[in-house]
């Protein structure tokens, strides 16, 4: 049922399987050591102290003989002490090597998985990022990877180890006393059955709790990001009620999960307790009967701990495995999303030419935006676009950057169809400033020269001055080294927009696009920025989306969009004469003057 | 990334007061602590019991070769094991309950606390940071504290009864264990310290990885337009490389701990073996007693190990616990006085029957205000607004417009001076009373995930569908909503991400309208809405604003020209005050601002074209 996930998990450790094998290898030495250590005690009690005839596995007998035989050792008890310490040390060394190898494998594999995932997310299409749940995605990229890492570092090898230890241990113990071994292992099926039974249940409950936690997380997140709205509408009580409802559910579900765990541990402890009791009680009985020596009995008791106890963790290993498969599934869901195509191959022509939309049709899932749109944007001019809410202005820009692909028609720049171009190149030569720009939590300086960290300070200052943000930056205590975003200073909307503009101006682009990106800047600064742009970026095609008539009227050419069509186009004078939408907008906004 | 708070990962001393505060939430669940402790202790005694039983078996049955009392032995042995399983069930259950209750109660209280905090708190603390405090920090803190009681109870008991048992059986052999214990403690302390150091490093790197993912995901759209994918990848790879190196180093250190400690223990057991062996040969020690010592010798290490681990766990959760407590103990800088609460109730239990209506007279009397960073925004500011006026605020970015509005909403409080509402100091009535009469629309509108309908209904929880549609029609967003496939049931996405900024503004406008507030505040509320739609809103507003006080901040002058009063704000001062016509005639700042919008001659030119 989980075949795909298991395969994926198997591939995660490609190239690191050697370490895992090595880790398994240490186990055989460890097995031998764990078998021999109790024998040291057993021989010590039976043969050396109790003076019974030596009767153990041949190699151990050979070892004792090599040390000078029982009588010699009886006078030199320290030899047994030393043997004990030596065996324990070898065991310790193996434990260490195993830990090292496991971590080597898990850390290496996880570094690669993290890198792949991060890169993959970067290259997922724009549409994916519009629709995705940020919190959920971050949760997967961090928590789920951690779950997988833990499994590789611990449980994966532990699983095999338990199996080998149990099976080999059973055969070794049979060599000592068959009936007692059978009795000792008689309860293993119960242990396994209990583990499996709870494993299924726990996995299900775990999923429920995870999901609820996600919901609580979302409520807190939304409440905090919208805290101004909550306060302005005095909705604190409503929010608390909403939160409490989920929080109480989470409480109850966590308690159920915890109770399930308690039952699991209790049952496992009960079964193994009975097992140990049987071995101890019947062991004493067999010793009294004479079919088992005292030393063997002591050794047997410790074998039960070494070889049988690991089975108790079988349930945990299994439930870890279950959790890991869920995590793998969640990671693979992302990994299986298709990356954007055409990022690295394709033409890289000069974009110094007209931008032409020919019969372009486009629709989002079910919402039609453009139906056979035609428009030509002349090179090197300043173009303004006016349009109502939802008229398709922003979509137009997304199409131009190939963040979405059109379904019909074609878009050409300088005569080249953009679908034949290298996407990264296309975007690189076209700088866009979004309406609600995103700044990285780095310093302002790093943000402005984000695509070319080697750029000189002079260039950064030049761009900042052009975007009229230089003075604002200097007013901060740490100037250009002020950290913005998540853990730094919060910039106002207008400041963010201007930093984003400075960032865009750092590029040597052929097309500059402002998607209503001066809306939070006051009109005076707005005008000054545009004035500067006109002089310094003369050869660059500039596309400005705006609602401000003062911005629109200064453009060389204006398009008016309505319901996905160009309804008016021309220069300011032409459009006024047409007495359409533009004219109306003009009247409303300029009526202030009369 | 350089700004990640370093103190989280620096040295942390365990502060008892922090944990006391955390445990104070166990008030109603204290029994679980006692149960975990108690049954942990019983387990410690049972451990010794089974070692003693083994010794008994050898000395009482095996060596003398007798079956006398064997039934008792079998019974007692079985009982010990059954009791053991019972204890394990009980303490796992009780610690689990403690964990669930503590986490739920702390989250509940923390969330509630955050609802009472003022804007200035959120200005200083980012959402991501608070979110971590209330989720992973709470989980981490509670997990540490809930499960430590079992080990604590068991460890204390195991050491006490173990030592007493050994001393009773054979003092000489007991000395070996007692001598080994200090070494084990020293080794444990040394390694736990080292492990903790590495742990801090890896946690720091881990939180960097999280922030990179955070940015990689929430900034993905911007990254695409900037074509920064490969640079991002490079940066990320540096961190993950550090992470894998550091983790491996941490694994090596912690991998050394157990083998070295168990080496010390095996040397001790070997020494007891030799010494005890001679004693058995001298007949001064029985074989059963010797086997008891070898058993218990290995066992004495466990409690020390678990103490070391508890200590390390608590130490490494200290920072998380402090962050949790910082939320629980946070106090809002804007508080209602006890008298006000007595009359109006608090945020969660308002006494709505005492809420009087707002007329809408607003007076600023000698108000000064500075944000925490220190720059003074308002200095002895005076203003009086009569009820029913529509007042527009105009001025450059940073002139103090938003501050004035925020002070009226009491989102901040003046550093000095008073604000009067209907002639009464704003502080004499509760914040909730004020806010429940406000209609506040922000420039960057926040919508909650859910449907459009639900979002509009946020303004009036009991609004019917008809009311929602009516309001939407009034402000002109009905048409675009109807065009959507699911209409009013269309989901808006996280923070409204599936809608355009203009659409979000329209919906947030509808949300404010439906609340039927007494005072309207529009802070750049229509900046991203096209002029046509804005016109509709204006018309709707005209009727809405009638008889209500409203304050409008806008950059687009067409938005405000119909206001009954326009205030031009510059550096926290009112420099012009009047109607549009008065201000235009005055030819001052407003006039200049206007002519800046339309360059000289442009209007005349345009008029010529039209004529």
């Amino acid at each position: 049922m989980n075949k795909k996930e298991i395969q994926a998990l198997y591939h995660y450790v490609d190239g690191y399987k050697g370490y895992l094998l090595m880790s398994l290898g240490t186990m055989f030495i460890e097995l031998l050591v764990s078998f021999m250590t109790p024998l040291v005690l057993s021989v010590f009690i039976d043969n050396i102290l109790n003076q019974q005839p030596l009767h153990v596995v041949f190699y151990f007998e050979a070892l004792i003989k090599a040390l000078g035989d029982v009588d010699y050792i009886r006078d030199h008890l320290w030899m047994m002490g030393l043997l004990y310490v030596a065996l324990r040390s070898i065991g310790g060394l193996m434990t260490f090597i195993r830990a090292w190898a496991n971590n080597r494998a898990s850390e290496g594999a996880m570094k690669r998985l993290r890198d792949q995932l991060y890169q993959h997310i970067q290259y997922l299409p724009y549409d994916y990022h519009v629709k995705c749940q940020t919190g959920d995605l971050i949760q997967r990229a961090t928590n789920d990877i951690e779950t997988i890492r833990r499994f590789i570092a611990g449980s994966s090898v532990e699983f095999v180890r338990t199996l080998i230890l149990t099976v080999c241990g059973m055969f070794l113990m049979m060599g000592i006393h068959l009936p007692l071994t059978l009795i000792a292992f008689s309860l293993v099926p119960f242990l396994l059955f209990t583990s499996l039974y709870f494993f299924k249940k726990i996995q299900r409950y775990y999923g429920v709790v995870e999901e609820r936690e996600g919901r609580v997380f979302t409520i807190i997140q939304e409440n905090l990001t919208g805290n101004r709205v909550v306060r302005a509408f005095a909705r604190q009580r409503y929010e608390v009620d909403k939160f409490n409802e989920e929080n109480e559910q989470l409480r109850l579900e966590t308690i159920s999960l915890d109770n399930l765990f308690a039952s699991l541990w209790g049952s496992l402890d009960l079964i193994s307790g009975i097992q140990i009791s049987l071995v101890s009680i019947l062991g004493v009985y067999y010793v009294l009967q004479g079919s088992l020596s005292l030393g063997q009995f002591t050794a047997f008791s410790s074998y039960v701990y070494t070889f049988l106890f690991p089975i108790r963790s079988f349930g945990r290993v299994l439930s870890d495995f279950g959790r890991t498969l869920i995590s793998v599934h969640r990671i693979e869901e992302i990994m299986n999303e298709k990356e954007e195509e055409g990022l690295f191959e394709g033409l890289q022509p000069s974009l110094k030419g007209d931008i032409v939309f020919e019969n372009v049709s486009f629709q989002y899932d079910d919402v039609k935006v453009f139906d056979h749109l035609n428009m030509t944007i002349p090179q090197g001019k300043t173009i303004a676009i006016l349009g109502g809410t939802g008229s398709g202005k922003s979509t137009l820009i997304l199409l131009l950057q190939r963040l979405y692909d059109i379904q019909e028609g074609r878009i050409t720049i300088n005569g080249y169809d953009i679908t034949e171009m290298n996407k990264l190149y296309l975007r690189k030569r076209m700088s866009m400033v979004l309406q609600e720009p995103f700044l990285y939590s780095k310093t302002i300086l790093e943000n402005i020269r984000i695509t070319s960290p080697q750029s000189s300070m002079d260039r950064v200052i030049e761009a900042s001055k052009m975007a009229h943000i230089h003075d604002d930056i200097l007013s901060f205590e740490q100037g250009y080294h002020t950290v913005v975003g998540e853990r730094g200073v919060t910039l106002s909307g207008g400041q963010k927009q201007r930093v984003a503009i400075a960032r865009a101006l750092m590029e040597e682009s052929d097309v500059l696009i402002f998607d209503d990106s001066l809306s939070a800047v006051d009109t005076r600064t707005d005008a000054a920025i545009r004035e500067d742009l006109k002089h310094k970026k003369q050869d660059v095609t500039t596309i400005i989306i705006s609602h401000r008539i003062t911005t629109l009227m200064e453009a060389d050419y204006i398009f008016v969009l309505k319901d996905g069509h160009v309804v008016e186009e021309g220069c300011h004078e032409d459009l006024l004469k047409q007495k359409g939408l533009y004219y109306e907008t003009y009247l409303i906004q300029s009526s202030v003057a009369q | 990334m350089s700004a990640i708070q370093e103190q989280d990962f620096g040295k942390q001393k365990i502060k008892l007061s922090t944990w006391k505060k955390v445990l104070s939430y166990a008030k109603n669940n204290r029994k679980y602590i006692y149960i975990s402790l108690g049954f942990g202790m019983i387990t410690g005694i049972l451990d010794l019991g089974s070692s003693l039983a083994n010794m008994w078996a050898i000395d009482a049955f095996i060596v003398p070769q007798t079956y006398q009392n064997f039934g008792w032995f079998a019974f007692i042995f079985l009982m010990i094991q059954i009791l053991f399983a019972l204890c394990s069930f009980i303490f796992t259950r009780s610690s689990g309950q403690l964990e669930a209750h503590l986490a739920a109660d702390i989250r509940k209280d923390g969330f509630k606390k955050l609802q009472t905090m003022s804007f200035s708190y959120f200005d200083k603390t980012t959402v991501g940071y608070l979110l971590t405090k209330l989720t992973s920090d709470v989980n981490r803190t509670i997990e540490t504290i809930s499960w430590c009681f079992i080990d604590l109870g068991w460890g204390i008991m195991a050491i006490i009864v173990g030592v007493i048992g050994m001393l009773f059986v054979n003092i000489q052999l007991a000395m070996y264990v007692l001598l080994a214990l200090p070494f084990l403690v020293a080794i444990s302390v040394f390694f736990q310290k080292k492990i903790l150091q590495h742990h801090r490093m890896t946690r720091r790197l881990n939180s960097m990885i999280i922030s990179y993912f955070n940015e990689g995901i929430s900034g993905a759209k911007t990254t695409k337009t900037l074509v920064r994918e490969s640079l991002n990848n490079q940066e990320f790879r540096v961190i993950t490389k550090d992470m894998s190196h550091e983790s491996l180093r941490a694994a090596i250190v912690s991998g050394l701990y157990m083998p070295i400690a168990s080496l010390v223990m095996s040397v001790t057991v070997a020494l007891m073996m030799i010494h005890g062996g001679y004693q058995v040969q001298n007949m001064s020690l029985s074989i059963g007693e010797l086997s008891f010592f070898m058993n218990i010798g290995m066992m004495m290490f466990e409690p020390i190990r678990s103490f070391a681990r508890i200590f390390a766990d608590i130490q490494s959760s200290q920072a998380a616990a402090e962050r949790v407590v910082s939320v629980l103990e946070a106090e809002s800088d804007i508080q209602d006085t006890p008298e006000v609460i007595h009359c109006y109730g608090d945020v969660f239990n308002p006494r709505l029957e005492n809420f009087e209506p707002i007329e809408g007279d607003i007076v600023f009397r000698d108000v000064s205000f500075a944000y925490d960073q220190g720059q003074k925004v308002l200095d002895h500011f005076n203003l009086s607004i009569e009820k029913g006026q529509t007042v527009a605020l105009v001025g450059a970015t940073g002139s103090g417009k938003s501050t004035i509005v925020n002070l009226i909403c009491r989102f901040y409080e003046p550093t000095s001076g008073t604000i009067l509402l209907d002639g009464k100091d704003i502080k004499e009535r509760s914040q909730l009373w004020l806010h429940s009469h406000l209609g506040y629309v922000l420039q960057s509108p926040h919508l909650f995930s859910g449907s459009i309908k639900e979002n509009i209904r946020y303004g009036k929880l009991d609004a019917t569908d008809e009311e929602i549609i009516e309001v939407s029609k009034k402000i002109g967003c009905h048409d675009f909503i109807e065009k959507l496939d699911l209409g009013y049931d269309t989901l808006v996405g996280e923070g409204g991400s599936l809608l355009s900024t203009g659409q979000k503004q329209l919906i947030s406008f509808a949300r404010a309208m439906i609340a039927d507030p007494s005072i309207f505040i529009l802070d750049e509320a229509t900046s991203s809405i096209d002029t046509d739609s804005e016109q509709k809103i204006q018309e709707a507003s005209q009727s809405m604003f009638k008889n209500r006080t409203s304050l409008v901040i806008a950059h687009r002058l067409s938005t405000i020209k119909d206001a009954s009063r326009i205030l031009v704000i510059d550096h926290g001062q009112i420099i012009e005050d009047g109607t549009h016509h008065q201000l235009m005639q005055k030819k001052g700042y407003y006039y200049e601002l206007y002519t800046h919008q339309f360059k000289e001659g442009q209007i005349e030119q345009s008029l010529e074209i039209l004529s």
Side-chain angles (χ1 to χ4, degrees), chain B residues 94-147:
Chain B
S94 106
S95 286
Q97 313 256 309
L98 182 64
E99 185 182 13
H101 283 301
L102 269 182
D105 287 339
I106 288 184
R107 265 196 313 265
K108 187 173 166 181
D109 207 46
F111 186 84
K112 208 169 159 186
K113 199 74 189 214
L114 287 180
Q115 304 311 305
T116 66
M117 300 310 292
S118 69
F119 277 25
S120 58
Y121 183 77
F122 291 97
D123 290 344
K124 278 177 280 182
T125 349
T126 60
V127 170
Y129 207 47
L130 283 173
L131 197 57
T132 321
K133 285 183 181 182
L134 227 51
T135 54
S136 59
D137 281 339
V138 167
N139 288 348
R140 190 184 160 77
T141 306
I142 300 311
E143 197 183 332
T144 307
I145 200 74
S146 306
W147 292 94

Side-chain angles (χ1 to χ4, degrees), chain B residues 295-311:
Chain B
N295 263 334
I296 207 159
M298 282 321 269
M299 270 166 48
M300 287 319 278
F301 170 52
E302 286 301 320
I304 292 171
R305 192 175 134 199
S306 75
F307 283 153
R309 211 195 44 236
I310 293 174
F311 189 74

Side-chain angles (χ1 to χ4, degrees), chain A residues 272-286:
Chain A
S272 22
I274 293 174
Q275 210 164 22
I276 288 164
S277 306
L278 284 178
V279 169
S280 299
I281 296 163
L282 290 169
V284 175
Y285 175 75
Y286 285 125

